[in-house]
Amino acid sequence: MVIFDEIYTSKGIEYSNGELVGYTENGEVAITVLVFMVRSLASDYHDVIGIHAVKSLTENMLNEFLMNALSLASKYFTVLAKCCDGLSVNLNLYQQLRTQYKWTADETEQLSKIRNPLNPEHSLFLLFDSVHLIKNFVYNFINYGSLQVPEFISLGIDSAVPQFNHIRQLYRKESGKPLRLAHRLNAISINPNNLQRTSGYAWTSK
């Protein structure tokens, strides 16, 4: 599996080992670093296969970098999937790939896999990492205050609209008690600041 993520760095130029570090391929001062990694689905093996200094990542740039990473990884591994977070440029690229390398006419299957650009006889799954999915779920719940839960007939679950205020009420009711039903719930979970939202501390802290 090929994983890629964009990481923000401190904007600046540094002199290291006789070279100026911090420029993009176009000679601009980089703001982020786009990193590609290959990870085995059957073992703990993982390794970085690409690092690109970027000032402003575009869909075309990401597509070029991704194809280069897929080409390199495919020389040594069978690439079954690629995985990223829900950044808008990633979503746009996935949509472009679904259109360009359509694997099936089934609309549901189109959302999760495409024809492998480097090996058209095989499929390539388009995945989003679970950490960002959970984080987006939690913070959308906090920001909007409610969620529209669909009905799952096969599981006997009716549709519902849970309210985040109910969680706040539970926290206030149990605060200070030695025994609590929601023992992992704390003040940061209820009202995280921007840094805690970015790090995911609010929903992983004990």
Side-chain angles (χ1 to χ4, degrees), residues 2-4 82-86 90-91 94 127-129 132:
V2 171
I3 305 170
F4 57 98
K82 46 191 170 186
C83 182
C84 63
D85 61 24
N90 298 336
L91 297 176
Y94 270 17
L127 307 179
F128 294 102
D129 70 274
H132 283 87

Side-chain angles (χ1 to χ4, degrees), residues 170-180 182 185:
L170 176 62
Y171 170 72
R172 289 193 292 267
K173 182 178 181 179
E174 296 190 332
S175 181
K177 294 184 178 180
L179 296 177
R180 297 181 296 167
L185 200 60

Side-chain angles (χ1 to χ4, degrees), residues 167 170-190 201-206:
I167 299 178
L170 176 62
Y171 170 72
R172 289 193 292 267
K173 182 178 181 179
E174 296 190 332
S175 181
K177 294 184 178 180
L179 296 177
R180 297 181 296 167
L181 293 174
H183 63 280
R184 295 284 297 274
L185 200 60
N186 55 42
I188 296 177
S189 304
I190 297 298
Y201 180 80
W203 48 272
T204 58
S205 59
K206 295 183 180 180

Side-chain angles (χ1 to χ4, degrees), residues 63-96:
N63 188 25
E64 180 182 351
F65 292 147
L66 177 59
M67 291 305 165
N68 290 338
L70 286 175
S71 179
L72 177 59
S74 298
K75 291 181 180 179
Y76 307 98
F77 308 98
T78 300
V79 181
L80 300 177
K82 46 191 170 186
C83 182
C84 63
D85 61 24
L87 196 66
S88 59
V89 66
N90 298 336
L91 297 176
N92 292 337
L93 177 62
Y94 270 17
Q95 185 57 45
Q96 175 184 319

Side-chain angles (χ1 to χ4, degrees), residues 106-124:
D106 188 292
E107 292 185 1
T108 302
E109 291 190 25
Q110 283 182 25
L111 296 176
S112 60
K113 67 180 180 179
I114 61 172
R115 190 179 302 278
N116 192 322
L118 303 179
N119 192 352
E121 298 302 317
H122 295 82
S123 59
L124 186 66

